[in-house]
């Protein structure tokens, strides 16, 4: 659907600039599918492309200002030097795929908003909108909205339920019985993190609470992962150097802009308890219980037994890269051909791993770097969650790699749930509710709020049952966001499909265009016909803007009684003479009838066109008002050196160019309000009984 909009925009404006923003792992897929399905050539905009453009273009020319279709990643756009050059370009269309990734308060959201605020049109694509969190949903709907526009975001909700040939997926919660040592490890971890959570809340220490969440997630992933994090935390608390600086943390901890798939040092180094001696003693006890060989872990043994029974391609998801690597070392000796996919791979390595899984590999082990957008359904229909993510959107994204259009078999989703842990007490009930919501509501609106990350983190850390969210939060039109539903198009689509089928089934009539005539002519002679004798005029009624662009077109067929000149021959000359006579005698009346028949449709098209133009004018004026003003950026020449003055001159020239471009767009929009109706005769069909 987004590509259809792109094709329209690019077809109507030769100098159009279109930008697709997507996760890095989906860029090649976007470029390939735009070329294969829509014959649209897209530029893969990355660091290599930018370096090549700098060599090929004249000095000082911004490569983003060239017309064309660009595909870039969120993380490439959010770099300050890239974003600055993007803000110096105007866009005809911006498409953000997996738009939920541009969450409130992240650099991704800031970058997408900055670019979209300079675009005439914006399309956000997501299968898992954050409707359970009104704040996040409102922030998503406000992306690209410059101040001064009153036009709400239009929401289209699509479901494949009417076209699903394989049925809904089957979700199985597979319980895992833990050993005594594993249970003791979890009890110690739960007691320690609960204490950190309470102390952090009392003193307003958000970073300490984030550290507690990280350790709980690591413990639910694997004992070996927890051991590594605890050991690293002990070393950092003892004074080991921190390898990364802190960023702005959020609560609860969500990867967001961080694709490292490993807990950062700055978080593990932050003390959780006021009593440092007691904290180190507690961490030492947890590390002692967590230290054993990965092959002895209960979840790993269950996974091996499961793979032995399945004996078919399987997609396995885990949250952390070190857990992925341990599973790889565990599964390969068992005789399985395994491919790996995680955020640390280059684009070429990712492509090779996906190709290998498609062609010959039995198992693909992936982190959430593979949970968005990828098509993995061609030879696989089983997905295993080694540990459960802390929000349902990610759970849905994982299963969506297989449960998508084109899947020919029922998808089986298996969740490994450790007994006597938060997975069993909190996640399992939430997953059951999510499954029930998915089966009762194909749009998945309830699913996105059932396992909200904040709600789950609170339930896990406080040891309480999951809070039941208010049902109103799942209604996207009750969140307070400026949104409105799109018109229901299913009925119109079904009627149009039926019309096309009838046209394909109808018998074509041979049309001839007589010399010197602009209209095609044909003769229909039958003994019996549902078509009454006479002259049938086919008109094309068009609504065009002043620049000649087509706004709407209706085809009208008008039948009128007509005897024709004597003789009634069948030769081309005789048929052409009869048609010219019919046009001369009945042309004005038939034309008036065609205009009358098309009047209602043309009025509706004119009203809709003016509504769209008015919305475009409002947006263009808001964009122009938000652009930097030259007057506000004047610099006193005596205060700065020449380099600063030169940079300010360049910025001023760019601002002036953007304003000039905006004014030109406004003039085009104002002119497009003026419409003209034309009525062209396309064909004449003469119908008569045989023998006359």
């Amino acid at each position: 659907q987004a590509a259809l909009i792109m094709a329209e925009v690019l077809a109507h404006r030769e100098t159009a600039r279109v930008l697709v923003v997507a996760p890095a792992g989906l860029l090649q897929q976007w470029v390939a599918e735009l070329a294969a399905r829509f014959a649209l050539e897209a530029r893969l905009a990355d660091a290599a492309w930018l370096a090549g453009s700098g060599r090929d273009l004249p000095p000082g020319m911004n490569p983003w200002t060239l017309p064309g279709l660009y595909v870039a990643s969120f993380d490439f756009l959010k770099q300050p030097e890239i974003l600055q050059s993007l803000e110096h370009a105007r866009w005809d269309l911006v498409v953000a795929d997996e738009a939920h990734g541009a969450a409130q308060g992240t650099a991704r959201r800031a970058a997408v908003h900055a670019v979209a605020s300079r675009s005439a049109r914006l399309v956000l694509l997501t299968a898992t909108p954050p409707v359970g969190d009104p704040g996040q949903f409102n922030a998503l709907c406000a992306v690209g909205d410059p101040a001064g526009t009153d036009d709400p975001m239009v929401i289209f909700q699509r479901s494949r339920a009417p076209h699903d040939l394989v049925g809904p997926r089957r979700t199985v919660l597979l319980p895992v019985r833990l050993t005594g040592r594993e249970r003791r490890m979890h009890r110690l971890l739960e007691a320690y993190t609960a204490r950190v959570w309470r102390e952090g809340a009392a003193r307003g220490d958000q970073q300490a609470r984030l550290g507690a969440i990280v350790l709980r997630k690591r413990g639910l992933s694997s004992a070996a992962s927890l051991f590594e994090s605890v050991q690293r935390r002990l070393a950092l608390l003892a004074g080991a150097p921190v390898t990364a600086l802190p960023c702005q943390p959020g609560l609860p901890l969500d990867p967001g802009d961080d694709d490292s798939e490993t807990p950062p040092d700055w978080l593990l180094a932050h003390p959780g308890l006021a009593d440092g001696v007691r904290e180190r003693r507690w961490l030492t006890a947890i590390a002692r219980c967590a230290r054993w060989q990965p092959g002895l872990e209960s979840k790993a043994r269950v996974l091996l037994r499961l793979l032995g029974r399945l004996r078919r391609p399987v997609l396995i998801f885990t949250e952390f890269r070190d857990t992925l690597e341990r599973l790889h070392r565990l599964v390969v000796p068992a005789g399985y051909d395994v491919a790996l996919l995680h955020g640390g791979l280059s684009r070429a390595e990712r492509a090779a791993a996906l190709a290998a899984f498609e062609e010959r590999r039995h198992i693909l082990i992936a982190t959430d770097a593979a949970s968005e957008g990828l098509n993995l359904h061609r030879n696989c229909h089983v997905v295993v969650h080694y540990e459960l993510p802390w929000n349902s959107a990610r759970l849905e994204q994982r299963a969506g790699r297989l449960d998508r259009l084109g899947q020919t078999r029922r998808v089986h989703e298996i969740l490994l749930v450790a007994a006597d842990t938060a997975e069993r007490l909190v996640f399992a009930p939430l997953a059951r509710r999510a499954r029930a919501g998915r089966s009762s509501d194909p749009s998945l609106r309830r699913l996105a709020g059932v396992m909200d990350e904040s709600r789950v983190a609170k339930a896990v850390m406080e040891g309480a049952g999951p809070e039941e969210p208010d049902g109103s939060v799942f209604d996207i039109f009750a969140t307070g966001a400026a949104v409105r539903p799109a018109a229901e198009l299913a009925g119109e689509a079904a009627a149009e499909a039926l019309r096309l089928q009838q046209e394909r089934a109808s018998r074509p009539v041979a049309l001839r265009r007589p010399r010197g005539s602009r209209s095609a002519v044909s003769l229909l002679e039958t003994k019996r016909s549902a078509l009454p004798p006479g002259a049938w005029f086919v008109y094309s009624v068009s609504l065009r803007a002043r620049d000649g662009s087509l706004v709407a077109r209706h085809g009208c067929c008008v039948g009128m009684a007509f005897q024709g000149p004597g003789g009634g021959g069948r030769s081309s000359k005789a048929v052409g003479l009869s048609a010219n006579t019919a046009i001369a005698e009945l042309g004005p009346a038939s034309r008036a009838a065609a205009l009358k028949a098309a009047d209602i449709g043309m009025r509706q098209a004119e009203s809709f066109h003016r509504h769209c133009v008015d919305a475009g004018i409002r947006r263009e004026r808001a964009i122009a008002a938000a652009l930097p003003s030259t007057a506000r950026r004047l610099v006193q020449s005596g205060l700065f050196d020449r380099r600063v003055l030169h940079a300010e001159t360049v910025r001023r020239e760019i601002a002036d160019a953007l304003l000039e471009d905006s004014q030109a767009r406004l003039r085009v929009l104002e002119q497009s309000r003026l419409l003209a109706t034309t009525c062209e005769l396309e064909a004449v069909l003469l119908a008569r009984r045989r023998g006359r």
Side-chain angles (χ1 to χ4, degrees):
Q1 294 179 41
L4 286 173
I5 300 174
M6 293 181 212
E8 285 292 310
V9 170
L10 292 168
H12 280 83
R13 194 165 186 261
E14 292 182 356
T15 59
R17 289 187 290 272
V18 177
L19 174 65
V20 180
V21 189
L26 302 183
L27 301 185
Q28 292 285 5
Q29 182 171 306
W30 265 102
V31 172
E33 293 198 4
L34 286 174
R37 301 180 188 276
F38 296 91
L40 295 177
E41 183 180 354
R43 297 187 182 99
L44 183 56
D46 55 9
W49 166 80
L50 199 58
S53 300
R55 292 190 299 267
D56 299 337
L57 295 176
M61 185 173 183
N62 186 351
W64 299 103
T65 59
L66 297 176
L69 172 56
Y70 301 83
V71 178
S73 72
F74 286 102
D75 295 324
F76 185 63
L77 259 62
K78 74 182 185 185
Q79 300 177 55
E81 63 277 12
I82 305 300
L83 183 58
Q84 183 178 8
S85 59
L86 276 164
E87 288 183 310
H88 293 164
R90 278 298 312 273
W91 300 93
D92 294 271
L93 171 66
V94 170
V95 176
D97 191 18
E98 306 293 352
H100 55 270
Q104 185 178 14
T106 63
R108 291 179 179 179
R109 199 266 182 190
V112 173
H113 176 70
V115 177
S117 296
R118 287 164 171 75
S119 175
R121 305 166 187 84
L122 171 65
V123 176
L124 304 177
L125 308 176
T126 175
T128 52
V131 296
D133 186 340
Q136 287 284 1
F137 185 75
N138 293 346
L140 182 62
C141 292
V143 168
D145 184 20
T149 61
D150 298 324
D151 298 307
M153 179 75 72
V154 180
I155 303 293
F156 286 85
Q157 290 182 283
R158 294 289 184 261
S159 170
R160 75 162 193 254
H163 318 287
D164 196 348
L165 304 179
V166 298
R169 69 174 177 262
R170 291 174 177 165
T171 302
V172 177
L173 301 178
L174 188 61
V176 177
R177 182 179 299 176
L178 302 180
T179 65
R181 191 169 185 176
E182 287 173 318
R183 286 196 299 271
R184 174 168 172 75
M185 179 197 74
H186 283 287
R187 296 295 84 80
L188 286 170
L189 179 61
E190 290 164 8
Y192 166 69
T193 54
R195 183 63 178 266
V196 172
W197 184 266
R198 290 193 300 270
E199 284 196 17
R203 62 177 183 264
D205 190 347
Q206 185 179 9
Q207 204 161 319
R209 303 181 88 188
L210 288 172
I213 291 175
V214 165
L215 293 178
R216 289 297 294 274
K217 284 188 172 185
R218 297 283 283 171
L220 292 173
S221 179
S222 71
S225 296
L226 175 63
F227 176 75
E228 287 191 4
S229 294
V230 170
Q231 288 290 91
R232 182 60 181 164
R233 184 175 180 86
L234 283 168
L236 292 168
L237 292 176
V242 178
T243 57
L245 295 176
C247 63
Q248 289 292 332
L251 185 65
L253 186 66
D254 192 19
D257 293 340
D258 180 18
D259 296 323
S260 63
E261 299 160 352
T262 57
D265 270 5
W266 62 264
L267 196 56
L268 294 176
H270 189 79
L273 300 179
D275 187 345
V277 175
R278 185 180 184 186
E279 181 168 19
R280 288 191 293 273
R281 188 162 55 243
W282 221 325
L283 290 170
T284 302
I286 294 171
R288 191 179 300 117
C289 287
R291 186 174 186 175
W292 62 69
Q293 294 300 317
L296 301 177
E297 292 190 41
S298 300
K299 264 195 182 181
R301 290 199 301 268
V302 171
L303 178 64
L304 284 178
R305 289 200 301 268
L306 178 64
L307 295 177
R309 290 198 299 267
L310 290 173
R311 297 185 179 278
R312 65 188 67 189
V314 177
L315 172 60
I316 303 172
F317 273 107
T318 181
E319 186 168 355
F320 298 104
R321 195 187 306 174
D322 54 359
T323 302
L324 173 145
E325 292 168 351
R326 291 187 188 90
L327 291 178
H328 180 237
R329 292 194 296 267
L330 180 69
V331 172
V332 169
Y336 298 101
D337 200 359
V338 181
L340 300 179
L341 195 62
H342 55 77
L345 300 179
S346 66
R347 187 178 299 155
E349 290 170 333
R350 288 170 61 91
L354 291 172
F357 180 62
E358 288 285 326
E359 294 172 4
R360 62 185 183 278
R361 302 293 172 96
H362 298 153
I363 308 294
L364 176 63
I365 308 176
T367 63
D368 286 307
S371 67
E372 290 185 332
L374 295 178
N375 298 319
L376 303 175
H377 60 282
R378 295 181 181 88
N379 69 339
C380 181
H381 65 109
V382 179
V383 57
V384 176
H385 305 278
Y386 190 72
E387 74 277 306
L388 302 188
W390 285 38
N391 66 61
S392 58
R394 202 178 307 163
L395 190 71
E396 187 65 24
Q397 286 285 350
R398 288 177 174 185
R401 300 316 95 226
L402 306 182
D403 192 8
R404 57 202 300 107
L405 284 174
Q407 176 63 261
T408 59
R409 294 169 290 182
R410 185 187 295 271
V411 172
H412 295 264
E413 180 184 30
I414 301 171
L415 291 74
L416 301 183
V417 178
D420 300 326
T421 67
E423 283 190 329
R424 180 68 174 176
L425 302 177
V426 178
F427 292 102
L430 291 172
R432 290 193 187 96
R433 276 184 236 164
R435 180 174 54 182
R438 184 174 63 240
S439 61
S440 62
D441 185 356
S443 69
L444 301 178
R445 286 187 296 156
R446 285 192 59 83
L447 181 62
V450 168
M451 286 179 66
D452 173 76
E453 185 125 358
S454 298
R455 195 173 289 116
V456 170
K458 181 179 179 181
V460 171
M461 302 308 297
E462 296 180 358
E467 176 187 351
E468 183 67 32
D470 181 5
S472 64
V473 304
F474 305 114
D475 185 358
I476 62 176
F477 304 113
T479 59
V483 300
R484 63 182 176 87
E488 177 55 52
L489 304 178
E492 293 183 30
E496 179 66 10
L498 179 61
R499 186 189 69 80
L500 292 173
Q501 288 177 346
Q502 292 173 344
E503 283 195 6
R504 286 183 176 181
S506 61
R507 181 172 62 88
V509 176
L511 296 176
R512 291 167 291 183
R513 195 176 298 275
R515 183 176 298 176
S517 174
R518 297 178 59 187
S519 306
V521 175
S522 183
L523 173 66
L524 178 64
E525 268 192 336
T526 59
K527 289 184 177 180
R528 295 178 181 179
S529 174
L531 193 68
W536 294 84
F537 300 88
V538 179
Y539 285 94
S540 173
V541 183
S542 302
L543 192 65
R544 293 184 180 274
R546 173 175 286 187
D547 61 359
S549 60
L550 181 65
V551 174
R553 175 179 288 161
H554 287 267
C556 298
C557 184
V558 179
M560 307 188 78
F562 177 68
Q563 294 298 326
R570 299 174 183 169
S571 66
S572 297
K573 184 176 180 180
V575 172
L577 178 62
S578 296
N580 289 334
T581 304
I583 293 172
E585 294 180 4
L586 305 173
S590 63
R591 186 178 185 275
L595 287 170
K596 183 177 180 181
D599 182 65
I600 295 178
M602 301 307 282
R603 286 178 181 272
Q604 291 176 343
E606 182 177 3
S607 174
F608 181 72
H609 171 74
R610 286 184 173 164
H611 169 77
C612 294
V613 170
D614 289 344
I617 290 174
R618 287 194 298 272
R619 181 167 181 84
E620 203 59 49
R621 287 174 177 168
I623 292 174
L627 290 173
S629 169
T630 301
R632 291 196 300 268
R633 305 189 68 172
L634 290 177
V635 180
Q636 290 183 331
S637 58
L639 299 180
F640 303 99
D641 61 23
R642 291 184 177 181
R643 290 173 299 176
V644 175
L645 290 174
H646 176 72
E648 186 59 33
T649 301
V650 171
R651 285 195 295 269
R652 191 157 54 239
E653 290 174 351
I654 291 171
D656 290 342
L658 288 173
L659 287 171
E660 184 179 347
D661 181 63
S662 184
Q663 291 167 0
R665 289 170 181 265
L666 276 172
R667 287 193 295 269
V668 171
L669 286 169
E670 292 285 359
Q671 291 178 357
S672 66
R673 288 178 56 88
L674 304 175
L675 301 177
T677 302
T678 60
C679 185
E680 299 289 340
L681 180 62
E682 300 291 347
V684 179
L685 174 64
L686 302 176
R688 64 191 184 197
R689 297 280 187 260
R690 185 171 295 171
R692 292 188 178 184

